[in-house]
Amino acid sequence: MDSFLFVLLVLTMPALLNGASTVIQLDSQQKSQINNSRNLINEIKNNYWQNTSYYAKLPPIVQLTRSQETAVMGRYGHLFKDEPPRGLESFIVNGTKMTPGNGGRGPADVTSSLGTEVCPSTSVYEEVTFVVNDSDEVLQMIQMQSSTQWILNETCGFPSGNAPGTICHERVRMVPATVIDLATGEITYENIQVLSCSAFLE
């Protein structure tokens, strides 16, 4: 092996092993679009949980180039689907009206066999634009024209549970997604916060 190539390989191997090569950068124009949208980003950060549905439907700040989309799909394509998962309907009422994906024993059968759910809930698969991570930093979800990262949000149907002495309340759970970090200008893979309904004792 040529001595220069060997030295280059030795110098770059740690970066490759640490995943540095997996970072997909935005270009200067895209970063400029983010900087010009700082007021909106700050607004979302300060009011996200009061207006989640509104911010979920806003148009994106950054549009990816074709080469960036190709890179994203090459690394994170498993996160994208043409349609919401078939194991759950788009709307699920009372946690029991679920449709099995391909026949046989499915979610509806399992849920029914467990009895009445303490906290009836509505779950919706959504195509969203803006989300937050575990540090409440604003991220832009990456969505393709023909393929979507579907996020399942769950809200409680009632404040009181079906069992005596219980209350129902939304809390967050973490799910992985590929996003644009609006602070660093990088396309990353990280956990985002989504809503789920839980039962608590009063």
Side-chain angles (χ1 to χ4, degrees):
M1 178 184 292
D2 184 274
S3 59
F4 173 77
L5 292 177
F6 177 77
V7 171
L8 182 63
L9 179 62
V10 171
L11 291 175
T12 57
M13 183 59 71
L16 293 174
L17 293 176
N18 289 327
S21 62
T22 65
V23 175
I24 304 173
Q25 295 282 351
L26 299 183
D27 60 33
S28 58
Q29 182 179 357
Q30 292 167 327
K31 291 181 178 180
S32 178
Q33 291 172 335
I34 293 175
N35 289 331
N36 292 336
S37 302
R38 283 298 165 196
N39 288 339
L40 173 60
I41 295 169
N42 290 333
E43 176 192 330
I44 296 173
K45 182 174 183 178
N46 293 331
N47 301 285
Y48 181 75
W49 292 112
Q50 289 74 39
N51 298 284
T52 307
S53 298
Y54 172 71
Y55 297 128
K57 301 303 180 184
L58 287 180
I61 293 173
V62 175
Q63 297 285 352
L64 298 187
T65 64
R66 182 168 298 181
S67 62
Q68 289 169 334
E69 289 184 348
T70 300
V72 168
M73 293 302 290
R75 296 173 188 175
Y76 311 117
H78 64 284
L79 296 173
F80 293 82
K81 306 293 180 184
D82 295 340
E83 298 178 352
R86 295 184 61 190
L88 292 172
E89 296 176 354
S90 292
F91 292 89
I92 309 154
V93 180
N94 216 25
T96 56
K97 296 182 179 178
M98 303 190 210
T99 301
N102 295 302
R105 186 171 176 78
D109 304 300
V110 174
T111 306
S112 298
S113 67
L114 296 176
T116 302
E117 193 173 36
V118 174
C119 285
S121 61
T122 299
S123 302
V124 184
Y125 274 110
E126 298 178 299
E127 178 182 356
V128 302
T129 307
F130 295 106
V131 293
V132 294
N133 61 14
D134 56 358
S135 300
D136 290 322
E137 295 298 328
V138 180
L139 312 168
Q140 180 184 309
M141 287 284 290
I142 295 176
Q143 307 291 11
M144 304 298 178
Q145 186 173 0
S146 59
S147 197
T148 300
Q149 290 188 92
W150 298 100
I151 300 302
L152 182 65
N153 277 308
E154 183 182 54
T155 55
C156 298
F158 304 96
S160 298
N162 289 325
T166 59
I167 58 174
C168 304
H169 188 69
E170 284 101 19
R171 64 176 181 177
V172 298
R173 71 182 191 281
M174 309 303 294
V175 299
T178 180
V179 297
I180 298 173
D181 188 323
L182 297 176
T184 65
E186 295 177 349
I187 295 172
T188 65
Y189 176 82
E190 60 182 291
N191 288 325
I192 63 171
Q193 298 187 52
V194 300
L195 289 175
S196 63
C197 178
S198 297
F200 299 88
L201 293 174
E202 288 187 300

